[in-house]
Amino acid sequence: MSASPRTRLTLASVAVAFAAADTYVVVLALPDMMAGVGLSADQLQRAAPIVSGFLLGYIAVLPLIGRIADVVGRTPVLVGALILFAVGSLITAGAYDLSLVVTGRFLQGVGGGGLVPATLALVADLWPAERRGLPLGVVGAVQELGSVLGPLLGAAVLAIADWRYIFWLNLTVAVVLALLLRGLQRPPLSAAVGLLACIALGLTLTAPDRLANGITLGLPFVPFSGESRLLTPIGVVTLVLLVLWLALILFKSRASLADLVKKVDLVGALLLAVALAGVVLAFATADPEREVMAPAGPWLLVAAAVFAVAFALWQRRTAQAIIPPGLLGARPAWGSLVVSFLVGAALIAALVDVPVFARTTQSGGQLAAALVLLRFLVALPIGAVIGGWLTRRYGLGLITGVGLALAGAMFVLMAFWDKDALKHAPATITLLVCGFGFGLALSPVNTAILGATRPDSHGLVSALIVVARMVGMLVGVSALTAIGLRRYYTIVDDIASPNELCPANPGSCRPFVDALREAGISQVHTIFAGAAICAFAAAVAALLLLGRRPAEAEAVHR
């Protein structure tokens, strides 16, 4: 017996929230993860792939997953995404070196990212255009609620256990949700083989002491050569089981796979994925507090541009274009992508630089900074639900414009915060209103693009709206950081040296330290001002480009 559509949506929403929480959990766990794979605290740059690997999987493959959801259905994609998330969690939990952690995080990104477009498309399947604003707001709310709970969950797990238990928890929840989504059907042979393969993989990677150190039971864990845990008898068994699992899946679904290949533009999806990967790696592998983009960033962007051109040319000559001609022709459709990009560029300033401001102006470290960010994040889901409810009464552009204008106004206030601002109530109110404003915009933007496109492409356009927002975040953090760093270095160049300020004791010169802190605050002020411009630009774009209501957006498309 399979689950009802409303039950599937509930389970999918829980999965989306949990995947969102995982992103913020890792922010807190990163130092412990680095130590777990042999990296010291001063090797942060080498650990960057732990974050960028997740983003690469989340963004680059998303259009393909969205298109697959349109061809094979929402539930199979949701189950498949949860399985990928579970396998990625298993690999990360048992990882003993950096390459395995990055591999696990990449699979988690693919799985976690794939949940979002399938869930949004499922909402569009279940509700007519004029009534889907509120359920889309609820989905957006639970996703942002995951962002709120993520730091708290990470702090709770790290307080009582090792960082690996975060990913064991991910594995457990993902498997339970996948089973519930499948319903009470008898599991096929491939599921049993897959379970054995995952158990074998977990044993291979973790090599439990009680087994690996035994005289007899430890023989399967003895490497054939070197120290790799994969080049062991149990590693070979794991590989065989994984190949058998894949073969059973392919054999069972060979007819649907053949149909999938015919209907999905795999070449176009690959070209688009590589282009997006270039953008992700150019920005996500850089330290946003020190550099605009990675050292290889310009070359990666050139490569991304080349593949983007190749993608555009391929789309013109293939009959099965992954983005069908005219799909985004309606103004609310392409307008939603523009607004989503600008929202991402503004939103990243709050997610990154509110904690930076907190660390610069107060003590308490990373956890205290995360708790300050919670003041912003907690209002996002509230705004998302209210924004969805308002879509049945007011125009989509009006709701989005008002919400983003509120966010922009709060960024203007944040650009004038002094070093003691976070100690007072007005700062908390500012963060709450800013988060609420962003939340208001979530449902109307999704409602607009779904109402302006064909139902058989809702998975794809839902993926594109997520990609636009994520790319906006990456480009935004680069551009705003560049502006902020220029301001910082301009101020620092005018600061006298410690020998000049404190000739008697230059090693602990308090005026010099205070001057550097003021320079850091000025840098964040500049970034907040830039974010305000992005938010106001998004508000204007929403008012001009988004439809007045869902029914009208559908009429434009027809």
Side-chain angles (χ1 to χ4, degrees):
M1 182 177 65
S2 59
S4 67
R6 300 297 175 95
T7 302
R8 291 201 304 270
L9 178 59
T10 301
L11 294 172
S13 299
V14 173
V16 166
F18 200 78
D22 183 71
T23 304
Y24 289 86
V25 165
V26 171
V27 172
L28 293 177
L30 187 59
D32 291 339
M33 294 175 68
M34 290 172 58
V37 296
L39 297 179
S40 59
D42 59 353
Q43 294 178 299
L44 184 61
Q45 193 61 35
R46 286 190 60 194
I50 297 176
V51 177
S52 60
F54 181 88
L55 290 175
L56 184 62
Y58 196 101
I59 297 175
V61 192
L62 207 56
L64 176 60
I65 296 178
R67 181 62 182 139
I68 291 174
D70 289 327
V71 174
V72 305
R74 319 307 184 198
T75 303
V77 169
L78 288 170
V79 173
L82 283 168
I83 290 174
L84 278 176
F85 188 82
V87 172
S89 299
L90 173 61
I91 293 174
T92 306
Y96 56 89
D97 61 20
L98 182 60
S99 62
L100 283 172
V101 171
V102 174
T103 300
R105 292 294 290 160
F106 174 79
L107 292 176
Q108 280 189 298
V110 175
L115 293 168
V116 180
T119 303
L120 294 176
L122 185 58
V123 170
D125 293 345
L126 296 177
W127 278 271
E130 67 276 7
R131 295 180 54 201
R132 66 173 63 125
L134 181 57
L136 285 174
V138 172
V139 172
V142 297
Q143 183 178 8
E144 300 306 330
L145 183 62
S147 304
V148 175
L149 297 177
L152 301 178
L153 176 62
V157 173
L158 293 174
I160 60 175
D162 184 75
W163 65 268
R164 298 179 188 274
Y165 282 88
I166 293 174
F167 299 99
W168 291 123
L169 178 62
N170 287 345
L171 170 64
T172 303
V173 173
V175 169
V176 170
L177 289 173
L179 292 174
L180 291 175
L181 276 168
R182 279 191 55 86
L184 301 177
Q185 303 171 6
R186 187 178 66 180
L189 177 61
S190 60
V193 174
L195 178 61
L196 290 175
C198 289
I199 293 174
L201 179 60
L203 291 173
T204 300
L205 296 177
T206 57
D209 289 339
R210 291 187 179 182
L211 296 179
N213 294 333
I215 297 177
T216 302
L217 296 177
L219 292 177
F221 297 90
V222 178
F224 296 118
S225 62
E227 298 181 357
S228 174
R229 296 180 186 176
L230 300 177
L231 298 177
T232 58
I234 192 171
V236 173
V237 171
T238 299
L239 179 61
V240 171
L241 286 172
L242 289 172
V243 171
L244 178 60
W245 184 22
L246 180 61
L248 288 171
I249 293 174
L250 293 176
F251 178 78
K252 179 183 177 182
S253 56
R254 60 190 183 279
S256 57
L257 281 173
D259 186 55
L260 183 65
V261 171
K262 292 179 182 178
K263 294 183 178 180
V264 175
D265 177 19
L266 295 179
V267 175
L270 178 62
L271 292 172
L272 181 57
V274 175
L276 290 173
V279 175
V280 172
L281 294 177
F283 296 118
T285 56
D287 182 354
E289 295 184 28
R290 298 183 180 180
E291 54 192 0
V292 177
M293 64 178 69
W299 295 106
L300 288 168
L301 290 181
V302 169
V306 170
F307 279 98
V309 171
F311 168 74
L313 294 175
W314 174 259
Q315 293 295 281
R316 296 182 63 180
R317 60 171 295 184
T318 181
Q320 295 294 338
I322 189 170
I323 302 179
L327 176 66
L328 302 175
R331 187 173 63 181
W334 61 265
S336 297
L337 298 180
V338 172
V339 174
S340 187
F341 176 87
L342 292 172
V343 167
L347 179 61
I348 192 64
L351 298 179
V352 172
D353 291 288
V354 166
V356 170
F357 184 86
R359 292 197 301 269
T360 303
T361 59
Q362 63 182 23
S363 59
Q366 183 73 15
L367 180 58
L371 292 176
V372 171
L373 182 61
L374 277 180
R375 305 177 195 177
F376 170 86
L377 292 174
V378 74
L380 265 170
I382 299 173
V385 174
I386 294 177
W389 176 73
L390 290 174
T391 56
R392 298 184 63 179
R393 292 162 174 79
Y394 302 97
L396 301 179
L398 178 63
I399 300 168
T400 306
V402 169
L404 294 174
L406 271 177
M410 295 306 103
F411 274 127
V412 171
L413 295 178
M414 291 157 66
F416 291 96
W417 277 352
D418 60 27
K419 64 182 185 338
D420 297 319
L422 294 178
K423 299 177 181 178
H424 306 295
T428 298
I429 296 172
T430 299
L431 289 171
L432 289 171
V433 174
C434 189
F436 180 81
F438 277 113
L440 281 179
L442 293 180
S443 176
V445 173
N446 289 327
T447 302
I449 196 169
L450 289 170
T453 52
R454 302 193 305 264
D456 62 355
S457 295
H458 280 166
L460 173 64
V461 297
S462 297
L464 293 178
I465 203 78
V466 176
V467 168
R469 177 177 165 183
M470 297 297 294
V471 172
M473 293 174 74
L474 290 171
V475 175
V477 74
S478 174
L480 295 176
T481 300
I483 297 170
L485 284 174
R486 178 174 296 182
R487 175 64 176 165
Y488 175 81
Y489 289 125
T490 299
I491 296 174
V492 169
D493 287 342
D494 295 331
I495 298 176
S497 69
N499 290 327
E500 295 174 322
L501 293 173
C502 307
N505 190 17
S508 57
C509 182
R510 187 66 189 179
F512 181 74
V513 173
D514 291 341
L516 287 180
R517 184 175 67 175
E518 290 299 324
I521 292 174
S522 181
Q523 174 190 353
V524 179
H525 284 169
T526 304
I527 292 173
F528 286 153
I533 294 174
C534 292
F536 287 135
V540 172
L543 290 170
L544 295 176
L545 300 177
L546 299 189
R548 294 169 58 186
R549 55 184 181 271
E552 181 173 295
E554 278 204 335
V556 169
H557 175 69
R558 289 195 294 265

